[in-house]
Amino acid sequence: MTQVADFEQMWRDLAPVGRSASSGGYFRQPWHAAELELRAWFREAAAARGLEVDEDPFGNLVAWWGPDTGAEKVLTGSHLDSVLDGGAYDGPLGVVSSFAALDLLRERGVVPTRRLGLAAFVEEEGSRFGRACLGSRLAVGATTWEAARELTDRDGVRLGDVIEGPTDDAGSTLLEGVVTYVELHVEQGRGLIDLDAPVGVHDAIWPHGRYRYDIAGRADHAGTTRMEDRADPMLTYAMTALAANKQARLSGQRATFGRIDVRPNGTNAVPSHVTAWLDARAESDAALAALVAAIEKQAGDRAERDGTRVAVTAESVSGEVAFDAALRDSLVQRLGGVPVLPTQAGHDAGILQDAGIPTAMLFVRNPSGVSHSPYESAETADCLAGVEALATTLTGLVEA
Amino acid sequence: MTQVADFEQMWRDLAPVGRSASSGGYFRQPWHAAELELRAWFREAAAARGLEVDEDPFGNLVAWWGPDTGAEKVLTGSHLDSVLDGGAYDGPLGVVSSFAALDLLRERGVVPTRRLGLAAFVEEEGSRFGRACLGSRLAVGATTWEAARELTDRDGVRLGDVIEGPTDDAGSTLLEGVVTYVELHVEQGRGLIDLDAPVGVHDAIWPHGRYRYDIAGRADHAGTTRMEDRADPMLTYAMTALAANKQARLSGQRATFGRIDVRPNGTNAVPSHVTAWLDARAESDAALAALVAAIEKQAGDRAERDGTRVAVTAESVSGEVAFDAALRDSLVQRLGGVPVLPTQAGHDAGILQDAGIPTAMLFVRNPSGVSHSPYESAETADCLAGVEALATTLTGLVEA
């Protein structure tokens, strides 16, 4: 089967790019070597299919199929970047499936009345500049270039020094005329495992946010300073991390401290400062606010005891996204009644939906149940079922 | 007064080297720019006094005063490197005071019958290659070059690629013939504040050790993975850090987690791995063993609950050091009954004492009570009292 061979060839081409030999995970941060190679691959895959590629001033890419008739456009795709030490599928599965679905549409002789775009949004994970879905936010104007250009990565490099950005106030015109977006993604949990289904549809994204905890203490010698004379921010941090876990468990929500930066981070020094990031998600905006407030309260109580000071900054907070109900219902019907579940993960699809573009999400079973991890996986048969579902969906949309 | 002016000039020369403009702390890691500048300063200070400088293959420096008569030698000095974001005095005060004390001896017309060496040992803090007192350990042969050359810094650079080391089995001959060592140091606690004294003598160093905790969990998406499906090593770490603090408080000892390395350290990823370093000190070898065992036990219990795995590696453990009693008693008598206290901090003096060289330590009041910190401090009057005490001590030793 040409389709299977082509699909597998795309995976073989992508497999080594940015892969860590020690962990088996991927490091595909925007505008670093691995991610630039993925962009080059995207342009080659488009060129091999005779598609024109547009790139906006932020690095978002769209490969276009079909003549620009001025009619409303349909968009599919996902992203190519990864979290640090992430999996192979989160992002690339949606991009590869877009090309594979297009191949199916052509094989089946579909004649589009609407132009179809295949998209790769930049910095979806926020793993370099700390702002998730940065590319799509810039593309729809939800984040301004004036704000984004000042973001810095872990090495202190400004985004404005990495890319030139727009030369005038126009921003991105890449999504002009787009009336529908469909993103296919690998599942990031165990929903389809439990339901024994290869493909599903997301109806909503949980509200979520990132909160920076700056905990200030006093540097001291780890040997000579009596325990009772210390103001150790590591203790405040440790209690806060445990409190976050407990609050999330008790309420059925999610809270994680996965990133920490300690100063001076020396074995024989009580730290002067701990910065840590809370990732919190909940089933409703009210539940998220309650969760975040409970954690902050416990951090403040512990800080008082430790003689430290805590400042909490919400770096990004996204309310609940409900995907377009009519689009979702037509998809489910067309696909013969696939499961419908919410997701706890943020996606460019959420940004486009929030920007007023009716959006839908397909997702493919992940037998490991884990993502943002080298263990993330997907069976070829399930991926091909995903491509088939995407092709079916797109056929209905471009022929509409 | 020439003495005060010279002493203050030495501080002015050293003050800017390796200083962070943001924290006011010092970054003087061995063989990096700041520390190399301090070595150049040491050679200039020696040359200005007409002293010859010997350097051993590990980078330890000694400036010699008086003819090499073959008689037993007396050594004083300290170190020039700092912890990350450390204070100005820890190390340099002993080196600067050595030069200042020598100036006093000459001013007073002391004629040495024993050769006097002024030493600057390398990598005392272990802040680059993780092994405290590395220079003095190599100088006395307590650590072999075969083992030390394989040590790596945080960037993965091998010590063997930074310095050439000895070309044969001889190692260092720098301390040959040294029969006494006296190290002056800034106090690293509040002992002399409470006793209202400018200078004291240490009689012992508490047993202490560094223990690496490798906590392995499973990387996961911070949003989509249910709390109960995780194996999060950050939780095991957090509980262990709190347990260490509690155990030390309850037993009157010291335990600190000041350094942590998280993989992948991403905001939206449950970490796959946490490495953290425990610094533990106690008043006796038995108390240290009990403290360390209690912390490891609590870490193991928590790991079982978290579904993670903990491996503890003792990177370095030093038993109690009792400084030479006769030398200490003669110092105290000569200085007119200064306070005698143990220290919880490791020092090159402990390594030389353990190697069979009778050793003593003077220490100078630190009004902040803190060290390994930008807040570390010392009054000029107290420093000059320290120089005077050191000069008095050395006079007795080189005229003996």
Side-chain angles (χ1 to χ4, degrees):
Chain A
M1 279 176 62
T2 319
Q3 189 210 340
V4 178
D6 285 356
F7 183 83
E8 292 190 329
Q9 183 60 49
M10 285 195 274
W11 279 117
R12 271 196 300 276
D13 291 344
L14 294 180
V17 184
R19 187 172 187 274
S20 160
S22 61
S23 73
Y26 287 88
F27 291 80
R28 294 168 167 172
Q29 279 57 68
W31 301 289
H32 283 162
E35 200 255 1
L36 294 176
E37 203 172 323
L38 295 175
R39 289 161 175 282
W41 168 85
F42 182 91
R43 287 181 176 278
E44 282 170 24
R49 288 167 177 81
L51 310 180
E52 268 175 50
V53 174
D54 282 340
E55 179 167 354
D56 73 10
F58 309 115
N60 297 304
L61 297 165
V62 176
W64 296 108
W65 179 55
D68 191 357
T69 58
E72 297 162 331
K73 298 167 192 164
V74 174
L75 196 71
T76 186
S78 189
H79 63 94
L80 293 168
D81 62 307
S82 76
V83 295
L84 304 172
D85 213 15
Y89 297 89
D90 182 347
L93 182 63
V95 178
V96 166
S97 296
S98 298
F99 283 115
L102 171 64
D103 294 345
L104 268 188
L105 262 57
R106 282 174 153 168
E107 206 176 296
R108 292 173 184 171
V110 172
V111 178
T113 57
R114 288 163 148 185
R115 199 173 204 204
L116 176 66
L118 282 51
F121 290 104
V122 78
E123 180 71 310
E124 195 265 355
E125 299 290 5
S127 63
R128 182 160 176 197
F129 289 98
R131 193 64 49 85
C133 301
L134 182 61
S136 56
R137 285 179 203 273
L138 286 163
V140 301
T143 294
T144 66
W145 175 238
E146 284 60 41
R149 68 196 303 168
E150 301 306 330
L151 294 171
T152 53
D153 70 10
R154 288 162 203 237
D155 299 323
V157 179
R158 283 173 67 251
L159 177 59
D161 292 328
V162 173
I163 58 171
E164 210 174 307
T167 51
D168 55 25
D169 290 345
S172 175
T173 56
L174 199 61
L175 305 188
E176 269 180 13
V178 170
V179 295
T180 307
Y181 179 52
V182 180
E183 180 168 355
L184 179 147
H185 205 279
V186 69
E187 188 180 5
Q188 302 184 276
R190 311 181 54 83
L192 295 178
I193 300 175
D194 296 345
L195 295 167
D196 196 21
V199 176
V201 168
H202 285 316
D203 58 345
I205 299 178
W206 275 22
H208 60 281
R210 293 180 178 196
Y211 308 85
R212 192 180 72 243
Y213 276 64
D214 282 296
I215 313 174
R218 189 183 57 246
D220 259 320
H221 191 292
T224 56
T225 317
R226 292 177 302 193
M227 304 310 286
E228 57 269 34
D229 293 337
R230 302 177 177 200
D232 185 349
M234 189 70 94
L235 303 176
T236 313
Y237 165 70
M239 180 54 85
T240 305
L242 293 173
N245 184 266
K246 187 171 182 183
Q247 290 298 330
R249 268 192 290 114
L250 292 178
S251 60
Q253 319 299 340
R254 314 271 197 267
T256 310
F257 277 95
R259 180 179 173 198
I260 180 172
D261 179 25
V262 177
R263 278 182 294 178
N265 209 30
T267 305
N268 55 359
V270 177
S272 60
H273 202 103
V274 170
T275 307
W277 284 261
L278 168 66
D279 180 301
R281 326 231 177 179
E283 65 204 351
S284 69
D285 293 336
L288 179 64
L291 173 66
V292 167
I295 297 167
E296 185 169 343
K297 170 75 167 60
Q298 287 194 258
D301 289 350
R302 176 72 195 203
E304 203 159 303
R305 190 173 140 194
D306 291 331
T308 57
R309 294 183 314 281
V310 181
V312 181
T313 307
E315 290 195 337
S316 69
V317 181
S318 307
E320 190 188 27
V321 175
F323 290 119
D324 190 84
L327 181 60
R328 176 197 70 213
D329 290 345
S330 76
L331 243 79
V332 172
Q333 193 183 13
R334 199 179 283 272
L335 299 176
V338 294
V340 178
L341 294 171
T343 174
Q344 291 77 31
H347 295 286
D348 296 317
I351 305 301
L352 269 62
Q353 175 69 50
D354 268 350
I357 299 171
T359 293
M361 279 196 82
L362 292 167
F363 62 106
V364 169
R365 177 164 53 190
N366 172 352
S368 74
V370 308
S371 74
H372 286 194
S373 160
Y375 298 106
E376 180 187 285
S377 68
E379 304 285 346
T380 300
D382 289 353
C383 291
L384 294 174
V387 171
E388 183 61 50
L390 181 60
T392 302
T393 300
L394 294 176
T395 301
L397 292 169
V398 299
E399 285 184 337
Chain B
M1 279 175 64
T2 319
Q3 190 212 337
V4 178
D6 284 358
F7 183 84
E8 293 190 328
Q9 183 59 49
M10 286 195 273
W11 279 117
R12 272 198 298 278
D13 290 345
L14 294 181
V17 183
R19 185 172 188 274
S20 159
S22 60
S23 72
Y26 287 89
F27 291 80
R28 293 167 166 174
Q29 278 58 66
W31 300 289
H32 283 164
E35 200 254 0
L36 294 174
E37 204 173 323
L38 295 175
R39 290 160 175 281
W41 168 87
F42 182 90
R43 287 180 176 277
E44 282 170 23
R49 290 166 177 80
L51 311 179
E52 268 175 50
V53 174
D54 283 341
E55 180 167 353
D56 73 8
F58 309 116
N60 297 304
L61 297 164
V62 176
W64 296 106
W65 179 55
D68 191 357
T69 59
E72 297 162 331
K73 297 168 193 162
V74 173
L75 196 71
T76 186
S78 190
H79 63 94
L80 293 169
D81 62 307
S82 75
V83 296
L84 303 172
D85 213 15
Y89 297 88
D90 182 346
L93 183 62
V95 178
V96 166
S97 296
S98 298
F99 283 116
L102 171 64
D103 293 345
L104 267 188
L105 263 57
R106 281 175 152 168
E107 205 175 296
R108 292 173 185 171
V110 172
V111 178
T113 57
R114 287 164 149 186
R115 199 174 205 204
L116 176 65
L118 282 51
F121 290 104
V122 77
E123 180 72 310
E124 195 266 354
E125 300 289 5
S127 63
R128 181 159 177 198
F129 289 98
R131 193 63 50 85
C133 301
L134 181 62
S136 56
R137 285 179 203 273
L138 286 163
V140 301
T143 294
T144 66
W145 175 238
E146 284 60 41
R149 69 196 304 167
E150 302 305 330
L151 294 171
T152 53
D153 69 10
R154 289 164 201 235
D155 299 322
V157 178
R158 282 172 68 251
L159 177 57
D161 291 328
V162 174
I163 58 172
E164 208 173 309
T167 51
D168 55 26
D169 290 346
S172 175
T173 57
L174 198 61
L175 305 188
E176 268 181 13
V178 170
V179 295
T180 308
Y181 179 53
V182 180
E183 179 169 356
L184 179 146
H185 205 278
V186 70
E187 189 181 4
Q188 301 183 276
R190 312 181 54 83
L192 295 178
I193 300 175
D194 296 346
L195 295 167
D196 196 22
V199 175
V201 168
H202 285 315
D203 59 346
I205 299 178
W206 275 21
H208 60 281
R210 293 179 178 198
Y211 308 85
R212 192 181 70 243
Y213 276 65
D214 282 297
I215 313 174
R218 188 183 58 245
D220 259 319
H221 190 291
T224 55
T225 318
R226 292 179 300 193
M227 305 310 286
E228 57 268 34
D229 292 336
R230 302 178 177 200
D232 184 350
M234 188 70 94
L235 302 176
T236 313
Y237 165 71
M239 179 55 85
T240 305
L242 293 172
N245 185 266
K246 187 172 183 183
Q247 291 298 328
R249 269 192 289 116
L250 293 179
S251 60
Q253 319 298 340
R254 314 269 196 271
T256 310
F257 276 96
R259 181 179 174 198
I260 180 172
D261 180 26
V262 177
R263 277 181 297 179
N265 209 30
T267 305
N268 55 359
V270 177
S272 60
H273 202 102
V274 170
T275 307
W277 284 261
L278 167 66
D279 180 301
R281 326 231 178 179
E283 63 202 351
S284 70
D285 293 337
L288 179 63
L291 174 65
V292 167
I295 297 167
E296 186 169 343
K297 170 74 166 60
Q298 287 193 258
D301 289 350
R302 177 72 195 205
E304 203 158 304
R305 190 173 141 194
D306 291 331
T308 56
R309 294 183 315 281
V310 181
V312 181
T313 308
E315 290 195 337
S316 70
V317 181
S318 308
E320 190 187 26
V321 176
F323 291 120
D324 189 81
L327 181 61
R328 176 197 70 212
D329 290 345
S330 76
L331 241 77
V332 172
Q333 194 184 10
R334 198 180 283 271
L335 299 176
V338 294
V340 178
L341 295 170
T343 173
Q344 292 76 32
H347 294 286
D348 295 318
I351 305 302
L352 269 63
Q353 176 68 50
D354 269 351
I357 300 172
T359 292
M361 279 196 81
L362 292 166
F363 61 105
V364 170
R365 177 164 51 190
N366 172 351
S368 73
V370 308
S371 73
H372 285 193
S373 159
Y375 298 106
E376 181 187 286
S377 67
E379 303 286 343
T380 300
D382 289 353
C383 291
L384 293 174
V387 171
E388 183 62 49
L390 182 60
T392 302
T393 301
L394 294 176
T395 301
L397 292 169
V398 298
E399 286 183 337

